[in-house]
């Protein structure tokens, strides 16, 4: 029996965590179209803040790439995170009448703050393969959550454009390319690096769970 590639192994190691993510009230109500506007607005503001930091972390990964293809791949991914996905957020911001001033004045929630600092720390302080492993859950879990929700989303769902973005073929093709790069790096990594990659993936997957849970609870600083 052949040894599974890194990304397949990471997915199986963390499958209970993914299932727990799908079962979160935020995602169940998002699929049903019953999620409150207040909760979704809180999520969109935090996610827009997050995507700027995510783009920075991708840019750091691009700078660490050991070949030109990696530089181009993750520089483009950084652009997509900041420009393309923020276009989705901007549409919801207009719909929810969230002004630029209101967005800028809204601080990062404790979970968002922790997540973005985790990614930036991994990007600057860890090796290229480990930094990429930390970035992968944001791509992959969103893609799989998007498809799972699409399969059961009710007609007329007010959040359909969000679902379509992450369930779409274009986003899944992006995820597949990222997985391929990470699997190629993992195939050349020593055992210590591989275990560090697995830990980085798991930590980020936990933070994905925490991010959606925090959005549902309207997470904010206690004082």
């Amino acid at each position: 029996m052949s040894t599974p590639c890194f990304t397949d192994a990471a997915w199986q190691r963390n499958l209970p965590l993914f299932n727990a993510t799908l079962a979160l009230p935020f995602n169940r109500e998002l699929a049903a179209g019953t999620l409150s506007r207040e909760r979704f607005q809180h999520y969109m503001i935090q996610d827009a803040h997050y995507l700027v930091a995510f783009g920075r972390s991708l840019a750091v990964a691009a700078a660490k790439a050991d070949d030109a293809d990696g530089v181009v791949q993750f520089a483009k991914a950084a652009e997509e995170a900041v420009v393309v996905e923020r276009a989705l957020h901007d549409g919801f911001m207009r719909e929810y009448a969230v002004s630029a001033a209101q967005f800028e004045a809204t601080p990062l929630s404790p979970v968002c703050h922790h997540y973005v600092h985790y990614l930036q720390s991994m990007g600057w302080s860890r090796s290229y393969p480990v930094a990429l492993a930390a970035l992968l859950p944001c791509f992959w879990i969103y893609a799989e959550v998007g498809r799972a929700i699409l399969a059961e989303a009710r007609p007329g769902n007010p959040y359909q454009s969000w679902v379509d973005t992450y369930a779409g073929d274009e986003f899944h093709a992006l995820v597949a390319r990222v997985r391929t790069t990470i699997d190629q790096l993992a195939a050349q990594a020593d055992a210590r690096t591989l275990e560090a990659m697995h830990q980085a993936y798991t930590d980020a997957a936990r933070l994905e769970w925490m991010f959606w849970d925090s959005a549902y609870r309207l997470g904010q600083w206690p004082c």
Side-chain angles (χ1 to χ4, degrees):
M1 182 180 295
S2 61
T3 302
C5 62
F6 170 80
T7 60
D8 283 342
W11 188 262
Q12 288 304 314
R13 282 193 186 196
N14 295 280
L15 186 56
L17 179 55
F18 173 72
N19 289 333
T21 300
L22 277 181
L24 282 168
F26 186 97
N27 287 325
R28 304 311 305 159
E29 293 179 17
L30 183 67
T34 59
L35 184 68
S36 71
R37 286 175 62 92
E38 181 184 21
R39 288 185 169 111
F40 193 75
Q41 177 178 311
H42 178 92
Y43 160 80
M44 292 300 291
I45 291 174
Q46 293 301 316
D47 201 44
H49 280 306
Y50 167 86
L51 283 172
V52 176
F54 185 62
R56 288 194 183 106
S57 299
L58 286 165
V60 172
K64 287 191 168 185
D66 50 13
D67 58 30
D69 289 341
V71 173
V72 172
Q73 179 181 8
F74 293 106
K76 284 185 175 179
E79 179 184 18
E80 206 163 300
V82 175
V83 177
V84 178
E85 290 194 52
R86 283 190 72 185
L88 172 69
H89 292 76
D90 288 345
F92 279 107
M93 297 296 185
R94 288 193 296 272
E95 179 183 344
Y96 284 51
V98 177
S99 68
Q102 180 182 348
F103 169 72
E104 293 295 338
T106 302
L108 276 65
S109 69
V111 170
C112 185
H113 184 275
H114 179 51
Y115 197 178
V116 302
H117 282 78
Y118 168 76
L119 290 181
Q120 291 173 348
S121 172
M122 296 298 284
W124 286 108
S125 67
R126 304 303 295 272
S127 66
Y128 178 51
V130 176
L132 289 185
L135 290 163
L136 178 58
C138 183
F139 287 111
W140 199 3
I141 291 175
Y142 262 69
E144 297 304 326
V145 167
R147 281 204 170 160
I149 290 177
L150 180 65
E152 57 181 270
R154 296 180 181 179
N157 191 319
Y159 308 117
Q160 193 64 46
S161 61
W162 185 98
V163 176
D164 290 343
T165 295
Y166 296 110
D169 291 341
E170 185 175 352
F171 190 73
H172 278 257
L174 169 63
V175 173
R177 291 192 296 272
V178 173
R179 287 184 59 194
T180 295
T181 298
I182 292 174
D183 283 333
Q184 290 170 347
L185 292 167
Q188 303 169 35
D190 59 26
R192 185 174 181 179
T193 299
L194 278 175
E195 192 51 42
M197 291 172 71
H198 276 295
Q199 188 61 57
Y201 180 97
T202 296
D203 288 343
R206 287 169 173 158
L207 285 162
E208 286 292 325
W209 184 98
M210 291 173 66
F211 193 92
W212 273 309
D213 178 64
S214 174
Y216 193 79
R217 292 183 293 100
L218 306 176
Q220 56 186 323
W221 295 96
C223 57

